[in-house]
Amino acid sequence: MTDFEPVIGLEVHVELRTRSKMFCGCSADFGAPPNTHVCPVCLGLPGALPVVNRQAVVYAMRAALALHGEVAEETRFDRKNYHYPDLPKGYQISQYQHPISTGGHLDVHRPDGSVLPVRIRRLHMEEDTGKSLHEGVPAGQSGVDFNRCGVPLIEIVMEADVHSPEDARLTLQTLRTIILYTGVSDVRMEEGSLRCDANVSLRPAGTTAFGTLVEVKNMNSFRSVQRALEYEVRRQTAALEAGERIARETRHWDERRGITFSSRSKEEADDYRYFPEPDLGALRIERAWAAAVSATLPELPEVRHGRYVAAGLTAYDAGVLVEDPPLGDYFDRVSGVAARTACSWVTVELLGRLNARGESIGDTRVSPEWLADLVRLVEAGTISAKQGKDVLDVMVAEGGAPEAIVRARGLTQISDEGALSGTVREVLAANAAVVSDFRAGKDKAFGFLVGQVMKATRGQANPALVNSLLRKELES
Amino acid sequence: MSQPQLWEMPLHALHRLLASGAARAEEVCAAFWDRAAEQDPHLHAFLSVRPREEVLAEAAAVDRARAAGTALGPLAGLPVALKDNLSTAGWETTCASRILRGYRPPYDATVVSRLRQAGAIFLGKTNLDEFAMGSSTEHSAFGPTRNPWDLGRVPGGSSGGSAAAVAAGLCPAALGSDTGGSIRQPAALCGVVGLKPTYGRVSRYGLVAFASSLDQIGPFALDVADVATLLGAIAGPDPSDATSARVAVPDYSEALQSDLSGLRIGAPRELFGEGVDEDVRASVAAAIDLLGELGASVGECSLPHVGYSLDVYYVIAPAEASSNLARYDGVRYGPRAAGDDYVSQFAATRGEGFGAEVRRRIMLGTYALSAGYYDAYYDRAQRVRTLIRRDFAEAFERFDALVAPTSPTVAFPLGSRVEDPLAMYASDICSVPANLAGLPALSVPCGLSNGLPVGLQIIGPAFGEMTILRVGAAFEQASDFQGKRPPMAVLGG
Amino acid sequence: MAISAADVRHVAALCRLAIPREQEEAVAESLGRILEHVQRLQTCDVEGVPPTSHVGELGDTLRDDEVCPSLPQEVAVANAAAARGGLFLVPRVVDGAGAGQG
Ligand SMILES: [Zn+2]
């Protein structure tokens, strides 16, 4: 039996976070009553004309540069003609022949540490459509709301460099993180500000031919991207093994049923009759402008990832910090302590406590400087790790500097040999039977004795010192 | 000669009367309103006329402002008509199409706001070929307009209503739009002055689009001076139109000179060729001689690719139109046909709402853009368009202005071409090249042929309106057409 | 340039125009004549000539990202053949039937 290899190309739409729409001054905010963010331009009234939002162009450039794309010196808009009730002009202003950016790539870090490079074919600007609603309208009707119509989008088209559904999900997550860093979008899949379509085909493993492309739409979460593609690969494999031909079609993912289904077959093939938008001239992008936009880009995820790994973090830990920019920013401010130690305190101890309380890193009472102080107290042996965690509990719940908490609660660790050796001797005297067990070779007895010392000091003894004093006494 | 009636006077004469206090705006507007009420039943130049009391109330307000010493705009109290493809807030804008019947825009076109700002008082909205697609105004869904020089003939088109209204004295000025000759050709056929400005000179915001890369709004009036005043009022950059040019607006009245010495004028031989009537050719040739007498040096020139103009035009204009007219789906405005599902209702709305010529052009344009045909039609037409632009650029290295007939024929009889699209399209043969190249072009009456007006077309380089207005003004003053109006008997007046 | 009734149906579907069956032949004939005429374009040498899509070299007319007032809802739907609750009503649209982006 032939083994088939999936060939997957992703097309991603990202809604840009501008204040106003792409071609008119209507608000781009979510959630307003229907048709209250509309004007002659975005309603497609006769005679109205589009004017390009400068900030949308800047955002598109930011995204393009973050993906290592080449920003065009001259870019143009085209009309994509098709009919649908939520498309008021009967065409969408998009970019076809001269997109704002071509080329680029992103590196996908898999959990096993390997890296998948994925090439970007192009990135272009376009406008969103309105929405058709089926609730709250008379039976047999749909209601159309044009509030979202004209909100700026970028479409990112990737090369078919992905060969597994899991890699597809990881690629999309990597792209999301990059876009998040650029600040041009909220990139929330569930809210539709990040949307992904996938072109999937199968080919006999080891060949370079392309099979028949099937476009999969309506995947509304990262998980559903992977599930939908897994389903689609299984479906196409079964069809090919049964000797059937794959139809070139668009299929919709049904999250509930866990299947893809063929969309209503259109009477005519897609024929968008693209032509240059005569209402908008060519847009020249001076190199100085592109350079200025480039200069405002923050440190990008892959650079940050490299910095963390170089500082001694595992690829996994680096990934956790990179994927959550506020968390990474917090970590970066926990300075003066070893990266690995700081990472564990931030991502395990602090984050665990915040999650339990339903708080986020952005609104915690624990400043990164205080957390660094706490880690230093533990590292210096002033308090034990156990005490450190107790102190963190207080910091998270009530706030305050760690030194102050340590002082107020008398938590300082007993690291004075003279003070401890008396207690050690008392414990040994009171537990003669255990001591003889230990001497008879029962190693476990040692732990009991340590515990008794800790108990006698109410946990304040320095465990390392207790260990060494006990051994010295027992071996003497 | 007796004192002319108010409705016979050009804008600048009316303006003088108002400024000197010899007449009130209310009287002026009433004279035109009454003239329109009396004559328009013969012409059908208007699709809608505003209520008399509303017009006169606005005029009275101007009179009061003038009496109070308020500074007034250059068109204060003067009546102007608007082609019914210019959006007017709250006032039905139909494009002479059933598909826009009842549509009241929630906004004014930029030119409408600018005229209002200049003090103009809108009298009515004029008839046109549906969506400005035509050269005779016979393709109006609400019936044709007639030529005031001969009621059995067409006024030209598509701005036939505006041209006829000005020619017959129903209003002293009007706006039209010109995509392939739709201002100049009816101006020529009705014996008035019409200007298509440089592409980008006047904002298109609010002009219902036909072919966006060709459309331009421009004025009609009785003489060049009035056209210059109107252009000054409507021209200039507009932040709502990304294709409006950020080029300062000069004082066009400075163009009004009587001497043409030092000016080089070229006559492109291709625009005098096949299809141009002998009478028209002779009339234009005489006009060119007169330009020479006025001091211009006149020479022949060639625009080698201009012969492809109609072919280029009849690919590009329908292609853009097919997309521009995709929005008429009966969802947000306009009447809606019956239908069970969205697709069939949509197709029925459009099938019933558009007239035959509009349907033909939508089909033609859709075909020219469709998969497999784009390169052979649309892309190729755009490349030939480049060659035509280059021809003009070369000619303007040698000449300051070019002259040609505006229309190859005088006004033709109603019904004579309406069944033959190719014959109708040929009406645009001399006017289309300026649209393809985005150049300003003026039509000035230059004579009568069998009692019907002939137009002289003066084409300038981009933003060369000053030059062509200068040529037009000097010619008009020297020409014996000045003051000729349609015979009143024809109008039953 | 011969245009068939099938071509007419295809193009009519693309631009959503209902053309009665009995008119298809006449429309095909009329379109064919015009297309035949514009065939002349094929005789023009356009080797190396770029297309003109805009006549003005107008540069970059961009808009600042500022919110301007929108139309009131009742004005937005005032011209609609059918509207309810601020929504434009259309015959029910089938999910996934849309072309284009998404
Ligand atoms: Zn808007």
Side-chain angles (χ1 to χ4, degrees):
Chain A
M1 200 186 291
T2 326
D3 265 348
F4 292 104
E5 179 192 42
V7 180
I8 301 170
L10 301 179
E11 290 179 10
V12 180
H13 284 93
V14 174
E15 210 168 63
L16 300 177
R17 227 185 41 165
T18 52
R19 283 192 283 272
S20 65
K21 292 184 178 181
M22 182 81 209
F23 299 115
C24 66
C26 290
S27 167
D29 282 352
F30 251 120
N35 294 307
T36 53
H37 289 176
V38 294
C39 71
V41 177
C42 57
L43 270 183
L45 296 191
L49 296 170
V51 183
V52 179
N53 182 336
R54 177 181 289 106
Q55 190 64 41
V57 177
V58 169
Y59 280 171
M61 272 198 267
R62 276 176 81 90
L65 291 164
L67 294 166
H68 310 288
E70 192 183 326
V71 172
E73 292 191 31
E74 189 178 294
T75 182
R76 290 170 194 241
F77 290 91
D78 295 280
R79 289 189 185 175
K80 179 179 183 179
N81 295 283
Y82 68 93
H83 295 286
Y84 205 62
D86 63 15
L87 186 70
K89 299 188 294 295
Y91 56 85
Q92 179 189 32
I93 305 178
S94 180
Q95 297 195 291
Y96 186 59
Q97 281 193 21
H98 303 279
I100 188 164
S101 170
T102 47
H105 61 88
L106 52 83
D107 287 339
V108 180
H109 293 266
R110 298 192 182 97
D112 68 3
S114 62
V115 175
L116 168 71
V118 178
R119 291 166 299 153
I120 311 270
R121 186 181 303 163
R122 54 183 280 151
L123 180 151
H124 69 251
M125 300 178 274
E126 59 186 30
E127 54 176 340
D128 208 346
T129 63
K131 292 234 176 317
S132 300
L133 309 163
H134 313 299
E135 315 280 308
V137 291
Q141 307 263 304
S142 296
V144 190
D145 172 14
F146 293 103
N147 281 350
R148 303 308 298 158
C149 183
V151 169
L153 300 174
I154 50 174
E155 179 173 347
I156 300 158
V157 182
M158 295 184 222
E159 299 290 355
D161 290 342
V162 174
H163 300 288
S164 80
E166 189 191 3
D167 279 351
R169 174 178 56 79
L170 290 169
T171 302
L172 188 60
Q173 282 171 327
T174 303
L175 177 70
R176 178 188 181 273
T177 305
I178 295 170
I179 300 295
L180 201 58
Y181 271 61
T182 65
V184 306
S185 172
D186 302 330
V187 274
R188 296 202 178 113
M189 264 197 113
E190 286 73 10
E191 291 174 13
S193 55
L194 173 69
R195 301 168 217 163
C196 179
D197 301 334
N199 289 308
V200 192
S201 65
L202 294 190
R203 67 183 173 201
T207 66
T208 53
F210 285 95
T212 307
L213 278 183
V214 172
E215 188 179 23
V216 184
K217 286 178 176 278
N218 197 40
M219 301 172 289
N220 295 324
S221 67
F222 294 109
R223 202 174 84 94
S224 70
V225 168
Q226 184 170 341
R227 284 181 67 208
L229 295 180
E230 281 166 354
Y231 173 86
E232 190 54 27
V233 169
R234 277 200 306 277
R235 185 190 72 84
Q236 290 189 26
T237 305
L240 289 175
E241 282 173 352
E244 293 166 19
R245 283 173 56 120
I246 303 292
R248 197 182 197 297
E249 62 182 349
T250 298
R251 297 179 71 86
H252 271 238
W253 168 245
D254 183 327
E255 179 77 37
R256 201 177 45 79
R257 290 193 289 163
I259 59 161
T260 65
F261 64 93
S262 184
S263 312
R264 181 191 68 119
S265 69
K266 296 163 196 139
E267 300 112 276
E268 71 276 344
D270 289 345
D271 183 351
Y272 294 126
R273 291 160 283 138
Y274 282 103
F275 75 102
E277 166 58 284
D279 288 332
L280 296 169
L283 176 60
R284 266 187 293 278
I285 299 178
E286 305 296 342
R287 295 301 84 184
W289 189 20
V293 171
S294 178
T296 65
L297 279 178
E299 179 187 44
L300 291 170
E302 65 207 74
V303 176
R304 189 176 225 180
H305 194 274
R307 178 162 64 81
Y308 288 159
V309 170
L313 297 192
T314 63
Y316 176 83
D317 281 343
V320 168
L321 292 174
V322 165
E323 266 167 43
D324 187 343
L327 191 65
D329 292 344
Y330 187 99
F331 169 79
D332 285 344
R333 288 171 59 198
V334 180
S335 52
V337 292
R340 250 178 207 266
T341 315
C343 179
S344 150
W345 278 93
V346 171
T347 61
V348 180
E349 300 304 335
L350 176 59
L351 207 54
R353 283 164 175 77
L354 294 180
N355 287 343
R357 297 168 61 89
E359 291 176 12
S360 79
I361 198 77
D363 51 40
T364 178
R365 294 181 184 85
V366 183
S367 76
E369 291 74 21
W370 283 348
L371 188 68
D373 290 345
L374 176 64
V375 176
R376 272 191 294 273
L377 287 176
V378 174
E379 293 278 283
T382 313
I383 55 174
S384 69
K386 164 80 175 62
Q387 286 173 323
K389 291 171 190 177
D390 294 343
V391 171
L392 185 57
D393 283 337
V394 178
M395 290 166 74
V396 166
E398 297 162 21
E403 286 92 345
I405 295 166
V406 165
R407 243 193 334 273
R409 312 218 162 186
L411 288 178
T412 318
Q413 181 167 260
I414 305 168
S415 299
D416 176 16
E417 203 175 315
L420 267 186
S421 46
T423 315
V424 167
R425 263 181 242 116
E426 281 164 29
V427 165
L428 291 180
N431 294 281
V434 183
V435 170
S436 43
D437 281 353
F438 175 77
R439 293 210 162 112
K442 284 191 179 170
D443 282 348
K444 270 191 185 164
F446 187 78
F448 175 80
L449 294 170
V450 171
Q452 290 304 305
V453 176
M454 295 307 287
K455 193 175 166 189
T457 59
R458 272 185 259 114
Q460 281 175 274
N462 179 334
L465 189 58
V466 172
N467 264 310
S468 73
L469 287 175
L470 266 176
R471 287 203 188 275
K472 209 156 67 181
E473 289 293 331
L474 289 168
E475 282 157 17
S476 64
Chain B
M1 198 172 161
S2 63
Q3 174 74 17
Q5 304 278 320
L6 285 174
W7 60 260
E8 291 179 283
M9 300 169 84
L11 279 181
H12 51 83
L14 295 166
H15 177 73
R16 260 196 310 276
L17 288 183
L18 294 181
S20 68
R24 286 176 301 113
E26 206 178 342
E27 288 172 73
V28 169
C29 288
F32 283 98
W33 198 97
D34 293 343
R35 169 82 180 162
E38 176 191 299
Q39 297 296 336
D40 200 47
H42 305 289
L43 294 171
H44 194 226
F46 285 102
L47 290 179
S48 61
V49 174
R50 288 173 71 206
R52 191 172 193 271
E53 58 280 10
E54 204 176 295
V55 170
L56 296 193
E58 268 182 33
V62 172
D63 288 328
R64 282 196 300 278
R66 194 186 300 277
T70 314
L72 296 173
L75 298 171
L78 298 172
V80 177
L82 300 167
K83 188 177 182 179
D84 202 25
N85 61 353
L86 296 168
S87 301
T88 43
W91 185 4
E92 194 177 4
T93 301
T94 67
C95 292
S97 180
R98 282 186 300 273
I99 213 160
L100 275 177
R101 198 157 206 174
Y103 167 62
R104 290 170 194 278
Y107 75 108
D108 275 332
T110 298
V111 290
V112 172
S113 318
R114 287 190 178 169
L115 283 183
R116 208 192 293 285
Q117 213 141 47
I121 293 175
F122 301 122
L123 201 61
K125 310 238 3 221
T126 58
N127 201 4
L128 63 151
D129 287 295
E130 184 177 2
F131 283 101
M133 296 180 190
S135 311
S136 69
T137 317
E138 292 167 291
H139 294 303
S140 166
F142 309 126
T145 297
R146 290 162 186 274
N147 191 316
W149 292 83
D150 178 347
L151 295 180
R153 291 175 186 265
V154 303
S158 64
S159 314
S162 289
V166 172
L170 314 192
C171 60
L175 294 189
S177 66
D178 189 317
T179 308
S182 281
I183 290 173
R184 291 159 288 155
Q185 185 254 16
L189 269 47
C190 291
V192 297
V193 181
L195 171 69
K196 180 202 94 73
T198 308
Y199 186 83
R201 177 72 293 181
V202 177
S203 167
R204 293 184 295 117
Y205 190 73
L207 165 67
V208 181
F210 161 14
S212 313
S213 78
L214 302 162
D215 294 342
Q216 191 62 191
I217 298 167
F220 288 91
L222 290 172
D223 60 27
V224 175
D226 284 358
V227 157
T229 303
L230 291 161
L231 178 64
I234 61 173
D238 177 9
S240 297
D241 177 0
T243 65
S244 71
R246 281 177 289 183
V247 175
V249 181
D251 179 356
Y252 291 114
S253 69
E254 286 174 11
L256 309 173
Q257 305 166 16
S258 53
D259 176 55
L260 295 180
S261 39
L263 220 57
R264 302 161 302 166
I265 294 178
R269 69 178 75 91
E270 291 83 1
L271 296 179
F272 291 80
E274 205 188 327
V276 179
D277 274 4
E278 201 43 58
D279 278 3
V280 170
R281 202 178 296 160
S283 192
V284 173
I288 293 172
D289 289 343
L290 184 55
L291 294 176
E293 287 167 32
L294 292 168
S297 63
V298 183
E300 201 181 85
C301 68
S302 173
L303 302 168
H305 299 90
V306 87
Y308 291 108
S309 295
L310 275 186
D311 307 288
V312 171
Y313 180 78
Y314 279 97
V315 171
I316 292 174
E320 291 182 6
S322 71
S323 175
N324 283 331
L325 272 63
R327 69 187 62 198
Y328 303 100
D329 57 4
V331 174
R332 286 144 296 129
Y333 38 79
R336 187 192 281 187
D340 304 329
D341 62 284
Y342 168 69
V343 174
S344 64
Q345 184 179 71
F346 188 0
T349 295
R350 291 163 62 76
E352 293 169 20
F354 292 131
E357 181 60 24
V358 173
R359 289 200 303 268
R360 175 164 31 241
R361 296 204 198 188
I362 291 174
M363 295 281 288
L364 189 59
T366 304
Y367 183 87
L369 289 174
S370 66
Y373 298 104
Y374 181 90
D375 288 344
Y377 290 102
Y378 189 77
D379 184 72
R380 194 170 188 87
Q382 296 282 46
R383 290 176 199 276
V384 180
R385 185 178 186 182
T386 304
L387 293 173
I388 293 169
R389 291 178 66 199
R390 287 179 183 170
D391 286 354
F392 275 108
E394 276 172 36
F396 284 117
E397 282 172 16
R398 292 174 50 213
F399 297 102
D400 301 304
L402 303 178
V403 288
T406 304
S407 161
T409 67
V410 294
F412 44 91
L414 281 158
S416 61
R417 296 185 187 177
V418 75
E419 299 299 333
D420 183 354
L422 285 175
M424 188 70 91
Y425 298 172
S427 315
D428 302 331
I429 194 161
C430 299
S431 52
V432 154
N435 298 85
L436 295 177
L439 303 175
L442 179 73
S443 181
V444 183
C446 67
L448 290 174
S449 164
N450 295 320
L452 295 168
V454 176
L456 168 70
Q457 181 177 210
I458 308 156
I459 305 171
F463 302 100
E465 278 85 355
M466 280 295 242
T467 309
I468 60 174
L469 290 169
R470 179 181 163 197
V471 175
F475 173 79
E476 169 183 85
Q477 284 162 41
S479 137
D480 60 6
F481 188 89
Q482 181 84 321
K484 288 210 172 87
R485 299 299 291 270
M488 289 307 104
V490 180
L491 296 177
Chain C
M1 189 68 202
I3 297 287
S4 67
D7 291 333
V8 168
R9 281 194 292 276
H10 170 71
V11 173
L14 272 181
C15 61
R16 297 272 202 272
L17 269 182
I19 306 239
R21 271 281 144 145
E22 65 276 13
Q23 286 179 24
E24 283 172 1
E25 287 298 333
V27 171
E29 200 269 337
S30 154
L31 289 184
R33 279 186 60 209
I34 299 165
L35 288 169
E36 172 127 20
H37 196 271
V38 304
Q39 282 303 314
R40 282 169 14 93
L41 289 173
Q42 310 307 324
T43 67
C44 183
D45 181 9
V46 293
E47 188 64 39
V49 179
T52 291
S53 47
H54 300 91
V55 285
E57 295 305 323
L58 303 166
D60 322 328
T61 18
L62 298 173
R63 185 176 63 77
D64 288 337
D65 185 22
E66 281 161 11
V67 175
C68 306
S70 295
L71 295 172
Q73 190 190 60
E74 65 275 14
V75 174
V77 301
N79 280 294
R84 179 135 141 200
L87 294 165
F88 296 94
L89 294 184
V90 294
R92 191 175 176 89
V93 179
V94 188
D95 280 329
Q101 71 93 20

Short mmCIF file of all heavy atoms in Angstrom, two decimals, chain B residues 72-91:
data_model
loop_
_atom_site.label_atom_id
_atom_site.label_comp_id
_atom_site.label_asym_id
_atom_site.label_seq_id
_atom_site.Cartn_x
_atom_site.Cartn_y
_atom_site.Cartn_z
N LEU B 72 -21.06 87.24 -0.17
CA LEU B 72 -21.74 86.14 -0.86
C LEU B 72 -20.81 85.45 -1.84
O LEU B 72 -19.86 86.05 -2.35
CB LEU B 72 -22.96 86.68 -1.61
CG LEU B 72 -24.07 87.29 -0.75
CD1 LEU B 72 -25.13 87.94 -1.61
CD2 LEU B 72 -24.69 86.22 0.15
N GLY B 73 -21.10 84.17 -2.11
CA GLY B 73 -20.30 83.39 -3.05
C GLY B 73 -20.54 83.85 -4.47
O GLY B 73 -21.48 84.59 -4.77
N PRO B 74 -19.66 83.40 -5.40
CA PRO B 74 -19.72 83.84 -6.79
C PRO B 74 -21.00 83.42 -7.52
O PRO B 74 -21.31 83.99 -8.56
CB PRO B 74 -18.50 83.17 -7.42
CG PRO B 74 -18.15 82.03 -6.51
CD PRO B 74 -18.55 82.47 -5.15
N LEU B 75 -21.72 82.42 -6.98
CA LEU B 75 -22.94 81.98 -7.66
C LEU B 75 -24.18 82.32 -6.83
O LEU B 75 -25.26 81.77 -7.06
CB LEU B 75 -22.88 80.46 -7.90
CG LEU B 75 -21.73 80.00 -8.81
CD1 LEU B 75 -21.64 78.48 -8.82
CD2 LEU B 75 -21.96 80.51 -10.25
N ALA B 76 -24.03 83.24 -5.90
CA ALA B 76 -25.11 83.53 -4.95
C ALA B 76 -26.42 83.86 -5.67
O ALA B 76 -26.48 84.79 -6.47
CB ALA B 76 -24.70 84.66 -4.03
N GLY B 77 -27.43 83.07 -5.37
CA GLY B 77 -28.77 83.33 -5.88
C GLY B 77 -29.00 82.89 -7.31
O GLY B 77 -30.07 83.11 -7.87
N LEU B 78 -28.00 82.22 -7.92
CA LEU B 78 -28.14 81.82 -9.32
C LEU B 78 -28.58 80.36 -9.44
O LEU B 78 -28.02 79.49 -8.76
CB LEU B 78 -26.81 82.04 -10.06
CG LEU B 78 -26.37 83.51 -10.09
CD1 LEU B 78 -24.96 83.64 -10.65
CD2 LEU B 78 -27.36 84.34 -10.92
N PRO B 79 -29.56 80.09 -10.29
CA PRO B 79 -30.05 78.72 -10.39
C PRO B 79 -29.14 77.82 -11.22
O PRO B 79 -28.59 78.24 -12.23
CB PRO B 79 -31.41 78.89 -11.08
CG PRO B 79 -31.35 80.19 -11.77
CD PRO B 79 -30.33 81.04 -11.09
N VAL B 80 -28.96 76.61 -10.73
CA VAL B 80 -28.11 75.61 -11.40
C VAL B 80 -28.87 74.29 -11.40
O VAL B 80 -29.57 73.97 -10.44
CB VAL B 80 -26.76 75.46 -10.67
CG1 VAL B 80 -25.91 74.37 -11.30
CG2 VAL B 80 -25.99 76.78 -10.65
N ALA B 81 -28.72 73.52 -12.49
CA ALA B 81 -29.32 72.18 -12.55
C ALA B 81 -28.22 71.13 -12.41
O ALA B 81 -27.06 71.38 -12.73
CB ALA B 81 -30.06 71.99 -13.87
N LEU B 82 -28.61 69.98 -11.91
CA LEU B 82 -27.65 68.89 -11.65
C LEU B 82 -28.06 67.65 -12.41
O LEU B 82 -29.23 67.25 -12.37
CB LEU B 82 -27.63 68.57 -10.15
CG LEU B 82 -27.24 69.70 -9.20
CD1 LEU B 82 -27.59 69.31 -7.76
CD2 LEU B 82 -25.76 70.03 -9.33
N LYS B 83 -27.11 67.04 -13.07
CA LYS B 83 -27.38 65.75 -13.72
C LYS B 83 -27.81 64.76 -12.63
O LYS B 83 -27.24 64.77 -11.53
CB LYS B 83 -26.11 65.28 -14.43
CG LYS B 83 -26.28 64.02 -15.30
CD LYS B 83 -24.96 63.71 -16.02
CE LYS B 83 -25.07 62.50 -16.94
NZ LYS B 83 -23.79 62.23 -17.64
N ASP B 84 -28.76 63.93 -12.93
CA ASP B 84 -29.33 63.08 -11.88
C ASP B 84 -28.48 61.86 -11.54
O ASP B 84 -28.97 60.85 -11.06
CB ASP B 84 -30.76 62.66 -12.23
CG ASP B 84 -31.54 62.26 -10.97
OD1 ASP B 84 -31.19 62.75 -9.87
OD2 ASP B 84 -32.48 61.45 -11.08
N ASN B 85 -27.16 61.97 -11.79
CA ASN B 85 -26.24 60.96 -11.24
C ASN B 85 -25.32 61.59 -10.20
O ASN B 85 -24.33 61.00 -9.82
CB ASN B 85 -25.44 60.27 -12.35
CG ASN B 85 -24.56 61.24 -13.13
OD1 ASN B 85 -24.65 62.46 -12.95
ND2 ASN B 85 -23.74 60.71 -14.02
N LEU B 86 -25.68 62.80 -9.75
CA LEU B 86 -24.95 63.46 -8.67
C LEU B 86 -25.77 63.34 -7.41
O LEU B 86 -26.95 63.71 -7.38
CB LEU B 86 -24.71 64.93 -9.03
CG LEU B 86 -23.81 65.15 -10.25
CD1 LEU B 86 -23.86 66.61 -10.71
CD2 LEU B 86 -22.38 64.73 -9.94
N SER B 87 -25.17 62.79 -6.36
CA SER B 87 -25.90 62.51 -5.13
C SER B 87 -26.30 63.81 -4.44
O SER B 87 -25.49 64.70 -4.25
CB SER B 87 -25.05 61.67 -4.19
OG SER B 87 -24.70 60.46 -4.80
N THR B 88 -27.58 63.87 -4.06
CA THR B 88 -28.12 65.04 -3.37
C THR B 88 -28.84 64.54 -2.13
O THR B 88 -29.75 63.72 -2.24
CB THR B 88 -29.11 65.79 -4.28
OG1 THR B 88 -29.95 64.83 -4.94
CG2 THR B 88 -28.40 66.61 -5.34
N ALA B 89 -28.41 65.02 -0.96
CA ALA B 89 -28.95 64.52 0.31
C ALA B 89 -30.46 64.72 0.36
O ALA B 89 -30.96 65.82 0.17
CB ALA B 89 -28.28 65.22 1.48
N GLY B 90 -31.16 63.61 0.59
CA GLY B 90 -32.61 63.67 0.76
C GLY B 90 -33.39 63.91 -0.52
O GLY B 90 -34.62 64.00 -0.48
N TRP B 91 -32.70 64.02 -1.65
CA TRP B 91 -33.36 64.34 -2.91
C TRP B 91 -33.10 63.17 -3.86
O TRP B 91 -31.94 62.81 -4.10
CB TRP B 91 -32.77 65.66 -3.44
CG TRP B 91 -33.40 66.22 -4.67
CD1 TRP B 91 -34.48 65.75 -5.35
CD2 TRP B 91 -32.94 67.38 -5.38
NE1 TRP B 91 -34.74 66.54 -6.43
CE2 TRP B 91 -33.82 67.55 -6.48
CE3 TRP B 91 -31.89 68.29 -5.20
CZ2 TRP B 91 -33.66 68.60 -7.40
CZ3 TRP B 91 -31.73 69.31 -6.11
CH2 TRP B 91 -32.61 69.48 -7.19
#
